Amino acid sequence: MTPAQGQTESGLAARLSAIDRRIADAARLAGRDPGEITRIVVTKFHPSSLVRELHSLGVRDVGENRQQELSSKTGELGDLDLRWHFIGQAQTNKASAIRRGADAVHSVDRDRLADALHRAAEDDDILDVLVQVNLTDDAGRGGVEPDDARSLAEHILALPSLRLRGVMAVAPLDEEPASAFAHLRTIAERVREVEPSADWISAGMTGDFVAAIDAGATHLRIGSAITGPRPDRG
């Protein structure tokens, strides 16, 4: 290992530890057990080598936004015991590739996508999925309308190769995160009325994960605060 590599890994370890301390502190303040919260490290645009370093530091849950990166990294890192979370907008024609790479898809926002993921099943494998909810007034943003989340959940439950785990959302930029995540928690409760075991709430990123934890988030999606700045894609 060169001195530069050692400094990079040391910095990565420090950032990871700092975030984990903040997560633990926020959980305790909310009266929650930090152990019930899963920290997903989002490695968008970072190389597979960084994921290997994260794995050596104990990271097991990794998130990707793009199918191409998911496929590439899972292909290169198949020797590692990692859980891959697909958290980006998904096209139905990419459903097969996404399913091959992901252990969980957080961004199911329409019946057609759920159907495509189901059709892509191989053998008896079961894919964990979450209903993505759009908490904004912009219909062009990813996610189902809040009033339609329960209906989409019911549709997913009819597809035997999919396991409904809960809901996911991104807080709007023009709203206090606490208010947005409280809304998501209400939607999550509606979804649990049709599937009581669907208790995941995927919410919270670097700037708002404390509010997400307070509102009951079980899965946090944190990127550059751990990985450092994204590389220039040239």
Side-chain angles (χ1 to χ4, degrees):
M1 179 187 300
T2 67
Q5 287 174 323
Q7 289 171 9
T8 299
E9 293 179 8
S10 176
L12 184 65
R15 291 192 297 270
L16 181 65
S17 295
I19 287 293
D20 285 348
R21 285 194 298 271
R22 291 180 60 197
I23 291 171
D25 289 346
R28 284 189 285 267
L29 282 173
R32 300 180 60 195
D33 177 2
E36 69 186 26
I37 298 170
T38 299
R39 175 255 297 127
I40 300 168
V41 182
V42 181
T43 58
K44 180 179 180 180
F45 301 145
H46 287 279
S48 296
S49 57
L50 182 78
V51 182
R52 282 196 179 276
E53 293 174 17
L54 287 164
H55 181 271
S56 72
L57 294 170
V59 170
R60 295 296 179 267
D61 290 271
V62 180
E64 287 295 337
N65 293 72
R66 300 165 69 244
Q67 175 268 314
Q68 294 90 334
E69 278 197 84
L70 174 72
S71 298
S72 175
K73 289 176 182 173
T74 54
E76 294 176 30
L77 301 168
D79 58 311
L80 302 182
D81 56 327
L82 292 167
R83 289 181 293 271
W84 292 91
H85 301 257
F86 186 78
I87 61 177
Q89 294 311 114
Q91 300 173 348
T92 55
N93 64 353
K94 302 286 184 65
S96 182
I98 290 170
R99 176 148 197 165
R100 282 195 300 271
D103 297 294
V105 177
H106 291 229
S107 49
V108 177
D109 61 358
R110 57 199 186 280
D111 290 356
R112 286 183 62 242
L113 177 57
D115 292 340
L117 289 168
H118 172 60
R119 287 195 300 270
E122 298 179 359
D123 300 321
D124 297 322
D125 68 310
I126 303 296
L127 178 68
D128 289 337
V129 299
L130 293 88
V131 171
Q132 181 178 0
V133 182
N134 183 359
L135 298 177
T136 77
D137 295 325
D138 181 0
R141 293 286 297 273
V144 67
E145 291 296 314
D147 289 343
D148 296 328
R150 179 170 172 152
S151 175
L152 177 54
E154 291 171 340
H155 184 86
I156 291 169
L157 289 171
L159 303 173
S161 78
L162 304 184
R163 180 189 292 118
L164 178 65
R165 300 309 300 258
V167 298
M168 183 271 261
V170 177
L173 296 176
D174 58 352
E175 182 180 350
E176 284 296 321
S179 173
F181 293 141
H183 187 194
L184 181 64
R185 186 172 192 166
T186 298
I187 298 165
E189 291 168 356
R190 292 181 205 149
V191 168
R192 285 199 300 274
E193 290 174 0
V194 299
E195 180 48 74
S197 67
D199 56 1
W200 291 16
I201 300 178
S202 172
M205 298 185 291
T206 298
D208 56 24
F209 70 78
V210 172
I213 289 171
D214 193 53
T218 62
H219 290 67
L220 313 175
R221 310 179 305 272
I222 300 177
S224 57
I226 293 172
T227 62
R230 291 172 181 163
D232 183 357
R233 291 186 294 159

